[in-house]
Amino acid sequence: MRAVAALGVLLWHAAIFLGPAGQSLGTKLFHAPSVIGVDLFFLICGFVIFLSSTKKVGGNTTIVSPITFLVKRLARICPLYMLCTIVIFVIERSAERQTGLLLLRSLSFLPVQNADYPNIFSPTMTVGWSINYEVYFYLLFSVALFCGLKFWKLLSIWAAAAILLPPLLAPELLSSLTLRSAIAAIVTSPLNLLFLAGIAIGMLYRCPAIRFPSPRLALLAVFIAPLPVLYQYLANAGIAHGLSGVGTSLAFLLTIVVIADKTLHIRCGRILGYLGDISYSIYLTHPIVMWGVMWANERYAWGSPLQGWFCVGVTVLATVAVSSLTYRFIEMGLSVQIRDWALAYRTRQPQDVPLLIPRKAS
């Protein structure tokens, strides 16, 4: 599913080779998959956050240390994001929007407001807007982990106070505040509910009692689950970010797939599995690859009736090739070294005792 999400975003951005945005066949084919891809990323992120922060050990549930959780997640995403951001800054340095201040804010994950799309920000590398949300939710979740297994209650209070109630109680004040402050916009954005939905799906997945009673029923559910998303794509209905758009259909799909996996032990194949592994690299490196393809297209004049599709194909293949390298040497290399160094340093410091929450007697 991560592979599908990454390729959806990649194809939407590569559709620039097929004609002006909003007018080309590429827009009709790939705009919806890009929205679906980002929302699916957020849902999967919430799902992974829950699974990686809690473990079943015998009759007890262990909660990872908040600092350990934060170190692991930031070490996972920061090195590649920062490298790609700097490369984009160098490539686009002559552009008016690319300033040193914008670069510093982007590297610090301080969102920069975009007046046209209040919940989608404009960092140095434009696709980095979603990373702002991810880092913000990591920070929020690490605070919630101090509550142990009651983290869900704190997150629920936050969701009500920051996201659900303000539009009802003070809509004009909220609108004014979010247009003036990018940080306020990210804190109050309904897109954060996708992370919460992913956590809820993770909790359902961990519950032993929630499973399909037979493989046949699980297989039937897996075939039915994509239909709402497919309908939205074909009918171009509700193609928007968040649970009010494609998020609810995707949450239903992800829930069915992960619950069915308990019974079916779904295997996606080596190619899709590998593309899923490198999906983060695909997401971040494809804008850089697109600059290279545009330069080559102008230099070598790839003229043909299929020029646009040829450029799309070259972009996809080159992005996968570059992502394979960044995945190996940065995600599985530099990021792992930084994580291990940070955790090793932490073990030399006084440690807090891991939270153990005994299972209540029935």
Side-chain angles (χ1 to χ4, degrees), residues 63-303:
I63 306 294
V64 70
S65 159
I67 302 301
T68 299
F69 166 80
L70 198 57
V71 166
K72 287 183 175 180
R73 299 316 302 171
L74 293 182
R76 173 73 175 80
I77 69 169
C78 285
L80 182 59
Y81 168 79
M82 290 181 174
L83 174 62
C84 291
T85 294
I86 293 171
V87 171
I88 285 290
F89 178 78
V90 172
I91 293 173
E92 301 179 359
R93 61 188 180 278
S94 60
E96 183 179 353
R97 66 178 293 269
Q98 297 292 7
T99 65
L101 178 60
L102 177 63
L103 176 63
L104 290 175
R105 290 182 65 92
S106 299
L107 294 175
S108 303
F109 300 105
L110 295 174
V112 179
Q113 189 59 282
N114 183 335
D116 296 327
Y117 303 95
N119 291 320
I120 300 178
F121 311 107
S122 297
T124 297
M125 181 173 59
T126 52
V127 298
W129 71 267
S130 62
I131 310 299
N132 284 326
Y133 279 99
E134 194 171 349
V135 170
Y136 165 66
F137 198 82
Y138 286 160
L139 294 172
L140 176 67
F141 190 78
S142 64
V143 172
L145 283 177
F146 282 102
C147 297
L149 282 183
K150 295 181 180 179
F151 70 84
W152 182 251
K153 294 183 179 180
L154 181 62
L155 291 177
S156 298
I157 293 172
W158 159 79
I163 301 174
L164 301 178
L165 292 180
L168 300 176
L169 301 180
E172 293 183 1
L173 177 61
L174 176 64
S175 177
S176 174
L177 183 62
T178 54
L179 286 176
R180 291 199 307 266
S181 169
I183 294 178
I186 202 171
V187 169
T188 59
S189 173
L191 296 184
N192 290 301
L193 297 177
L194 292 168
F195 294 105
L196 290 182
I199 291 175
I201 293 169
M203 296 174 74
L204 293 175
Y205 175 75
R206 273 279 174 81
C207 182
I210 299 179
R211 61 187 304 118
F212 287 100
S214 69
R216 182 175 298 179
L217 188 58
L219 188 61
L220 177 63
V222 168
F223 278 106
I224 293 175
L227 294 182
V229 180
L230 182 61
Y231 166 76
Q232 287 186 275
Y233 171 69
L234 294 176
N236 196 32
I239 302 300
H241 291 295
L243 294 176
S244 61
V246 297
T248 298
S249 298
L250 290 171
F252 172 71
L253 171 61
L254 182 60
T255 302
I256 295 299
V257 169
V258 299
I259 299 302
D261 184 61
K262 293 182 177 182
T263 305
L264 300 176
H265 306 292
I266 300 170
R267 295 294 178 265
C268 60
R270 292 181 62 182
I271 295 178
L272 274 180
Y274 182 70
L275 290 176
D277 290 340
I278 66 173
S279 59
Y280 182 60
S281 281
I282 289 175
Y283 185 75
L284 290 183
T285 62
H286 78 266
I288 299 172
V289 172
M290 285 179 61
W291 273 110
V293 173
M294 285 188 282
W295 173 83
N297 187 32
E298 293 177 1
R299 181 177 178 85
Y300 298 107
W302 292 337

Side-chain angles (χ1 to χ4, degrees), residues 44-66:
I44 293 174
C45 181
F47 180 76
V48 171
I49 282 175
F50 177 76
L51 294 188
S52 63
S53 61
T54 63
K55 291 183 180 179
K56 287 283 188 179
V57 180
N60 298 320
T61 299
T62 62
I63 306 294
V64 70
S65 159

